[in-house]
Amino acid sequence: MQPQRDLRGLRLLLLPWFLLLFEVARAGRLVVSCPAACLCASNILSCSKQQLPNVPHTLPSYTALLDLSHNNLSRLRAEWTPTRLPHLHSLLLSHNHLNFISSEAFSPVPNLRYLDLSSNQLRTLDESLFSGLQVLEVLLLYNNHIMAVDRSAFEDVVQLQKLYLSQNHISRFPVELCGLPKLTLLDLSSNRLKNLPLSNLQKLPAWFKNGLYLHNNPLHCTCELYRLFSHWQSRQLSSVVDFREDLYCMSSKELHNVFNLNCSEYKERAWEAHLGETLTIHCDTKQQGMTKVWVTPSNERVLDVVVNSTVTVFENGSLQIKGVQVEDGGVYTCYAMGETFNETLSVELKVYNFTLHGHHDTLNTAYTTLVGCILSVVLVLIYLYLTPCRCWCRGVEKPSSHQGDSLSSSMLSTTPNHDPMAGGDKDDGFDRRVAFLEPGGPGQGQNGKLKPGNTLPVPEATGKGQRRMSDPESVSSVFSDTPIVV
């Protein structure tokens, strides 16, 4: 019995020491679990509005939500927390003075899904800054001083769904963000954007454009910009419908509402196709993952994946028509059904009753036309300037006899009257001009015909400088046997 009593006494002696060690351990765990400047509730740590210049070092590893907003943090280094936080899914750092973030700052929090960096003093988003956050879904960066966004800053952030970059100084539209597969909201409002990649924006799906906010930017006024936003308006996209009055553009240093520009009224264009083409019509809905059903112009519902040899419905809801014919034209209707709302889209297809030649045939036709025009011009120039002279083939004509008293053919005589002294009773100022046709040879009459039995008379010699009267029987008038008096 004595040994049992000794064992019982030993237990009573050691019990206080065990209780003391337990309390010390318990007290130490409380210090590690919840920092003195924070308010803890389960796995939520709220260290907001404590004027903290640095992040508390003693953060429990099971922290799921950490609120460090409204403090005096200026830099977020790679070693901001010595403890890895694998369960942290939300980190709030808004309303601080952050002007620097290390590219390795988010290595201890690989499972972060919500990150709030709004209302700080960030100026640039450096290379691969968020690339380690592969499960990040929401990122708030509004109300900073961001001027430049590196093209690889959001590389590998494939799960990002909402990105807020409003109220900054961004002047370049970050086209690379359009390639994020799950991004449904991109807020670039109230920045310094002047030019937009219109061709890229037109190709974006409706579910992306529905959440692309571009209001309150000094955009350059163009009719292409008007048509872009008018199309979004006709589709009832939230980014335009909700902020229609705040869509401005700059022209001559004055702000104008985009919808008040002096441009031709926008009208939705029909899809166009030519005979024999393969056409794919998309059911461009404002929400992803919707169930889509097509109805043809003849009110036939397309149910199967493959309807026939010419019509095919893809898994994404697009309708493909192979070997388009004229009877395929009309209005196709897509009924889309989603978890939150339903949508109906109508697409008009216009089919031209001819085939469309490829660009090579068009080029050949234009080239042939050009060559034909040039050749025609060359032929006209040759005809005008290089026509052969007909005088070279004639022999050298003998000088005409001075004894002939006939005038040249078709020429007006400029000689005075044969008898200058005759006709004294006519006016001195009146002059007569007579035109005669010179016969082509002896014995020829009017119009070169030979007058039977007629020969040319032999003229008598006259004095020098004196002409004889022409024989009226040997010459002819241009129009008749009677001389023409002019």
Side-chain angles (χ1 to χ4, degrees):
M1 297 297 295
Q2 185 66 29
Q4 293 180 355
R5 292 178 180 177
D6 293 340
L7 182 59
R8 184 180 297 175
L10 181 60
R11 289 176 179 176
L12 293 174
L13 181 64
L14 295 177
L15 181 59
W17 291 101
F18 280 113
L19 294 174
L20 179 62
L21 291 175
F22 178 76
E23 291 295 333
V24 171
R26 184 166 175 246
R29 182 181 177 185
L30 288 176
V31 173
V32 174
S33 299
C34 187
C38 301
L39 179 63
C40 302
S42 182
N43 57 357
I44 299 176
L45 272 70
S46 177
C47 309
S48 178
K49 299 181 180 180
Q50 298 298 318
Q51 304 298 319
L52 298 176
N54 298 296
V55 179
H57 290 281
T58 54
L59 297 175
S61 61
Y62 58 81
T63 303
L65 188 150
L66 178 59
D67 185 2
L68 293 167
S69 62
H70 296 275
N71 282 290
N72 294 327
L73 305 178
S74 59
R75 302 174 73 85
L76 193 65
R77 301 180 183 275
E79 62 278 2
W80 65 275
T81 173
T83 307
R84 186 177 176 85
L85 305 174
H87 302 285
L88 187 67
H89 60 73
S90 300
L91 177 59
L92 284 67
L93 292 166
S94 62
H95 294 279
N96 278 278
H97 305 288
L98 291 174
N99 54 45
F100 172 78
I101 298 178
S102 172
S103 58
E104 300 178 357
F106 302 108
S107 299
V109 289
N111 297 318
L112 198 64
R113 297 197 302 271
Y114 183 93
L115 177 59
D116 187 359
L117 292 168
S118 63
S119 299
N120 279 283
Q121 298 178 5
L122 299 175
R123 295 185 177 275
T124 59
L125 300 180
D126 297 328
E127 180 180 359
S128 303
L129 180 59
F130 305 104
S131 59
L133 301 175
Q134 298 185 2
V135 295
L136 184 66
E137 297 176 356
V138 181
L139 176 57
L140 285 70
L141 287 163
Y142 63 86
N143 194 25
N144 275 275
H145 305 290
I146 301 173
M147 295 183 294
V149 179
D150 190 87
R151 297 181 184 274
S152 63
F154 298 91
E155 193 174 11
D156 298 331
V157 192
V158 293
Q159 298 297 326
L160 188 63
Q161 300 176 14
K162 298 180 180 181
L163 176 58
Y164 298 86
L165 285 167
S166 61
Q167 301 180 44
N168 281 285
H169 306 308
I170 301 174
S171 58
R172 181 190 69 86
F173 184 91
V175 183
E176 60 276 3
L177 296 178
C178 299
L180 297 178
K182 294 188 177 182
L183 188 64
T184 58
L185 190 149
L186 176 58
D187 188 1
L188 289 168
S189 62
S190 301
N191 275 279
R192 298 180 179 178
L193 298 175
K194 294 183 179 180
N195 297 297
L196 297 177
L198 299 179
S199 58
N200 297 85
L201 297 182
Q202 291 172 354
K203 300 175 183 178
L204 294 175
W207 57 262
F208 189 99
K209 295 182 289 190
N210 188 57
L212 179 56
Y213 295 91
L214 298 168
H215 56 277
N216 287 331
N217 275 287
L219 301 172
H220 181 62
C221 292
T222 61
C223 288
E224 289 78 8
L225 183 69
Y226 163 78
R227 286 190 286 269
L228 176 72
F229 288 133
S230 296
H231 172 65
W232 294 11
Q233 173 72 24
S234 65
R235 288 295 315 274
Q236 294 294 300
L237 302 182
S238 300
S239 56
V240 173
V241 174
D242 297 342
F243 297 94
R244 176 186 173 94
E245 301 301 326
D246 297 325
L247 281 170
Y248 292 102
C249 62
M250 183 73 71
S251 178
S252 301
K253 298 183 179 180
E254 294 183 0
L255 286 176
H256 304 272
N257 189 277
V258 173
F259 295 98
N260 293 335
L261 296 179
N262 188 19
C263 299
S264 58
E265 184 179 358
Y266 174 79
K267 295 182 179 179
E268 290 287 343
R269 297 180 57 186
W271 286 57
E272 298 179 350
H274 299 80
L275 293 179
E277 287 185 338
T278 298
L279 181 67
T280 301
I281 304 176
H282 303 284
C283 187
D284 195 13
T285 58
K286 295 186 289 186
Q287 183 179 342
Q288 290 179 293
M290 302 184 74
T291 303
K292 304 170 184 178
V293 177
W294 283 96
V295 175
T296 62
S298 58
N299 293 326
E300 297 180 359
R301 186 174 179 179
V302 182
L303 296 176
D304 301 329
V305 176
V306 178
V307 179
N308 50 44
S309 59
T310 59
V311 181
T312 304
V313 179
F314 296 121
E315 294 182 358
N316 62 356
S318 298
L319 182 69
Q320 186 183 73
I321 306 175
K322 296 181 180 179
V324 175
Q325 301 298 321
V326 177
E327 53 270 19
D328 293 328
V331 178
Y332 291 80
T333 305
C334 175
Y335 296 95
M337 294 157 284
E339 297 180 357
T340 57
F341 68 95
N342 299 332
E343 188 176 1
T344 303
L345 297 177
S346 297
V347 180
E348 182 182 358
L349 175 61
K350 183 178 181 180
V351 181
Y352 293 100
N353 194 17
F354 59 88
T355 59
L356 181 64
H357 297 288
H359 63 280
H360 295 291
D361 295 337
T362 305
L363 180 62
N364 292 336
T365 303
Y367 178 76
T368 304
T369 304
L370 179 61
V371 171
C373 293
I374 295 176
L375 184 60
S376 299
V377 172
V378 172
L379 292 177
V380 169
L381 293 176
I382 292 177
Y383 177 78
L384 293 176
Y385 296 101
L386 299 180
T387 303
C389 180
R390 300 175 181 176
C391 300
W392 64 272
C393 57
R394 295 183 178 181
V396 179
E397 297 182 357
K398 295 181 181 181
S400 58
S401 174
H402 293 289
Q403 296 178 356
D405 52 8
S406 298
L407 299 180
S408 299
S409 172
S410 305
M411 296 185 62
L412 295 177
S413 174
T414 58
T415 58
N417 192 21
H418 295 292
D419 191 2
M421 301 303 296
D425 56 344
K426 70 181 181 76
D427 295 337
D428 295 337
F430 183 79
D431 193 9
R432 297 174 183 266
R433 299 290 186 268
V434 182
F436 294 97
L437 180 66
E438 182 181 5
Q444 289 186 351
Q446 185 177 357
N447 297 329
K449 296 181 180 180
L450 182 63
K451 298 176 69 173
N454 188 16
T455 59
L456 288 176
V458 179
E460 297 179 1
T462 58
K464 185 178 180 179
Q466 184 179 3
R467 298 180 56 131
R468 293 184 58 201
M469 296 288 293
S470 299
D471 187 0
E473 298 296 331
S474 63
V475 296
S476 301
S477 171
V478 176
F479 299 103
S480 64
D481 294 336
T482 308
I484 299 176
V485 179
V486 183

